[in-house]
Each structure stands twice: as C-alpha cells, then as structure tokens.
Amino acid sequence: MKISSPPKTSDPKLQEFLETVYNALLRLGLVYGVGLVPNRTFTTTNYTVTSNDVIIAVTNTAAPRTIAFPSDVILAGTNIWIIKDESGGALAQNITINTVGAETIDGAATATIATNYGVVRLYSNGSNLFTW
C-alpha cells in the first residue's frame, strides 16, 4: 500500500486516530517503503507486554493465561498489539488481557479471548487501550 504519511484532517480526535493507525501499519510493514517483519513473541505462560511487542502468540492454554499491559507501555502511545490464541484452547482456558494500572480496555478493566483460535487487536492512544 503506497501511503507515505497519515491523511490530514481538522478534527483533532480523528487526526489522532489516523496517526495511530498509520503508525501501526508502519510497524507491521504494511505501508509504502517499509519492509519490516512484525515482532512475534510467543508465550506458554502469563506474559507482560513490552513496547517492542506487536504479535503476542499464546501457544499453550493448558491453564488460563493472562496478558498484562503495564502503564508505561500504554502511555507510550501509538502502538498496536495483536494477541492470538495459537494453541486453539481459549474456549476451555480463557486468555485474559488486563492493564496493570488504572488504564482501561474499551472502558473495561479486561478483555477476554474465550474462543478457540480467537484474537484481540489493541491500540493505545497514549491513555488507554482500544480494540479494533
């Protein structure tokens, strides 16, 4: 996709969202001139997200798993993450995504993957997390 910069708008909230999406696409290597391969981190246990993560693959759901977002990662803003149940067992052993601080996920304390091979995609606006 040939996009060299995010579209411009006079609406500050919309501009913030467009820049977040553009930066996410940039990190995934889906915009013009970028050949980056997204960072895939796999985990077989509970996991704390870092600012370098993009794809977090849960490869073992023998027990419920928790993916935790620390405040400093969320407050850094303009990042996206994809949390995926690669084990195919989240229906029986849910994957809970939470924030460590007061930040929220779509206004809630947690998000849950409760379907086999389910996925949750998140982005940060620098204050909270949102699904997309």
Side-chain angles (χ1 to χ4, degrees), residues 61-100:
T61 49
R65 302 293 180 217
T66 299
I67 307 298
F69 280 83
S71 295
D72 63 325
V73 172
I74 296 168
L75 299 176
T78 64
N79 286 332
I80 67 156
W81 299 271
I82 301 167
I83 297 99
K84 173 72 177 171
D85 170 24
E86 285 191 4
S87 73
L91 177 64
Q93 303 290 350
N94 294 173
I95 300 166
T96 301
I97 303 152
N98 67 13
T99 62
V100 176

Side-chain angles (χ1 to χ4, degrees), residues 2-89:
K2 186 175 182 177
I3 303 173
S4 57
S5 66
K8 302 294 182 206
T9 178
S10 60
D11 181 337
K13 290 282 188 188
L14 179 58
Q15 186 65 41
E16 179 182 354
F17 175 75
L18 291 173
E19 289 173 6
T20 299
V21 170
Y22 174 79
N23 288 330
L25 292 172
L26 185 66
R27 288 183 69 217
L28 289 171
L30 299 177
V31 293
Y32 179 77
V34 179
L36 301 175
V37 175
N39 185 24
R40 177 184 172 270
T41 302
F42 71 91
T43 182
T44 59
T45 60
N46 296 335
Y47 183 73
T48 300
V49 177
T50 72
S51 59
N52 293 323
D53 292 323
V54 176
I55 299 170
I56 301 154
V58 179
T59 58
N60 180 321
T61 49
R65 302 293 180 217
T66 299
I67 307 298
F69 280 83
S71 295
D72 63 325
V73 172
I74 296 168
L75 299 176
T78 64
N79 286 332
I80 67 156
W81 299 271
I82 301 167
I83 297 99
K84 173 72 177 171
D85 170 24
E86 285 191 4
S87 73

Side-chain angles (χ1 to χ4, degrees), residues 69 97-99 103-111 122 128-131:
F69 280 83
I97 303 152
N98 67 13
T99 62
E103 298 81 18
T104 61
I105 303 169
D106 284 344
T110 64
L122 298 167
N128 292 291
L129 296 173
F130 299 92
T131 58

